Amino acid sequence: MRLDELTAKISQPSDDARKRARDHWDSIAKPIGSLGVLEDDIAQIAAITGSARVSLAKRAVVAFCADNGVVAEGVTQSGQEVTAAVARNMALRRSSVCVMAKVASADVVPVDIGIATPVEGVLDRNVMRGTHDLARGAAMSREQAERAVMVGAELAGSLAHDGYDILLCAEMGIGNTTTSSAIVSVLLGAGPEEVTGRGAGLTDAGLRRKVEVISHAVALTAPDPDDPVDALAKVGGLDIAGLVGLCLGGAAHRVPVVLDGFVSMVAALVAVRISPACRPYLIASHLSAEPASQLVASALELDPPIRGGLRLGEGTGAVCLLPMLDMALALYNGTTFATTGIDAYERDLS
């Protein structure tokens, strides 16, 4: 399937199912709208699936793992080998996200979409053995970027076919806050110094170097801000591309996709620029500590419910949303005004 064929499959969520979910929320014995964005999320999931009977029983964290050639420019505290090490621990079910996902009853699916060295136990969907150094030329070709997007989309379709009710974005790739900041700088027309953060803990000197590298790479490769795939190919990463595909594929198969932090929100920005129709299928989890997170969330018109300064990555912030959704759903399926004998609140329609 080509990218244009994928986006052609994305239809609008059901307004009728959303209204029925909203009406049901109003019948629950509590003040109207008192669960805030969690009520919005459950109603949106109803719209996505086309049914007000919402189920989140089967959930998957899809972790795209890839190396980034820009690490050679000294923009990270850790070396490239850490990508493979964490992916290996994901396969052994002992990485941070695996520990947290077990608590949230979610499956973790680690995917090698661009790790420099093969890792046993990780799903092999490798497009290339790490991207090129974007400070010396395009990170990858347009064909490679599109192929990586389609890897993510095909996985979304496969998981939907296997009965997963909700998909969570995750990634592992040393250097991917550099690629993410570069994409934001291009697509939102913001200066690199405005959108670049410390990642996993850079010093002041390291941060200055990171900003310089992004500025140089954008000037050198000249990505087209009106062509999101061009920006993805020239200054992005394979892990981001896989997440773009997960967003688009989830939308095409009417499965909600929960975004994690900065990297996955940048992927969502690319996906929405490719196909605005996928936007209603995306659910925000948290606002990360990276400085451009609010900028990207605002561009996507998303309101992440968790504001905890999280910056671990691996999809951990997305996993944190699951228990909150579970509790909201328990209330959604709980006691109504009709069964309590209490007069129902009325929604202000003025």
Side-chain angles (χ1 to χ4, degrees), residues 65-329:
C65 307
D67 280 304
N68 298 281
V70 73
V71 169
E73 300 296 327
V75 295
T76 61
Q77 188 178 59
S78 303
Q80 181 173 275
E81 70 280 356
V82 174
T83 301
V86 175
R88 187 174 301 110
N89 278 289
M90 284 182 179
L92 294 171
R93 300 297 183 260
R94 62 189 187 195
S95 75
S96 298
V97 72
C98 293
V99 173
M100 295 173 67
K102 184 176 181 180
V103 175
S105 301
D107 298 326
V108 177
V109 182
V111 184
D112 173 6
I113 196 168
I115 307 176
T117 55
V119 178
E120 186 177 351
V122 175
L123 185 64
D124 182 6
R125 294 293 185 273
N126 191 279
V127 173
M128 60 188 294
R129 290 291 168 200
T131 54
H132 306 300
D133 182 352
L134 55 84
R136 299 176 183 274
M140 54 188 142
S141 69
R142 187 182 187 95
E143 186 273 333
Q144 287 166 325
E146 290 188 354
R147 187 143 51 96
V149 170
M150 294 311 299
V151 165
E154 288 161 8
L155 273 173
S158 176
L159 292 166
H161 181 267
D162 290 343
Y164 282 89
D165 300 303
I166 191 166
L167 304 177
L168 282 68
C169 290
E171 38 66 32
M172 180 59 218
I174 298 302
N176 65 10
T177 60
T178 299
T179 53
S180 298
S181 295
I183 291 174
V184 172
S185 179
V186 172
L187 295 186
L188 296 186
E193 67 285 348
E194 179 185 353
V195 299
T196 305
R198 297 177 185 273
L202 285 177
T203 62
D204 288 347
L207 178 59
R208 286 194 297 272
R209 174 62 181 161
K210 189 174 177 180
V211 171
E212 290 169 359
V213 168
I214 292 171
S215 298
H216 172 73
V218 171
L220 175 68
T221 60
D224 182 352
D226 296 321
D227 184 348
V229 177
D230 185 60
L232 177 64
K234 288 179 175 174
V235 297
L238 292 158
D239 48 355
I240 299 173
L243 290 169
V244 171
L246 193 75
C247 292
L248 294 171
H253 293 278
R254 302 189 70 90
V255 177
V257 177
V258 178
L259 306 177
D260 186 37
F262 180 53
V263 177
S264 66
M265 285 212 294
V266 170
L269 179 64
V270 174
V272 170
R273 289 290 179 89
I274 292 171
S275 174
C278 80
R279 163 61 187 82
Y281 291 85
L282 308 177
I283 295 173
S285 62
H286 77 105
L287 196 69
S288 86
E290 282 292 300
S293 292
Q294 183 60 68
L295 186 67
V296 180
S298 296
L300 291 168
E301 298 183 341
L302 290 172
D303 182 20
I306 302 173
R307 311 286 174 114
L310 307 180
R311 53 185 179 87
L312 175 56
E314 295 183 35
T316 51
V319 170
C320 284
L321 183 67
L322 287 177
M324 298 174 69
L325 291 176
D326 287 341
M327 287 183 281
L329 193 55

Side-chain angles (χ1 to χ4, degrees), residues 56-69:
L56 299 176
K58 194 171 183 181
R59 58 276 295 262
V61 182
V62 189
F64 293 96
C65 307
D67 280 304
N68 298 281

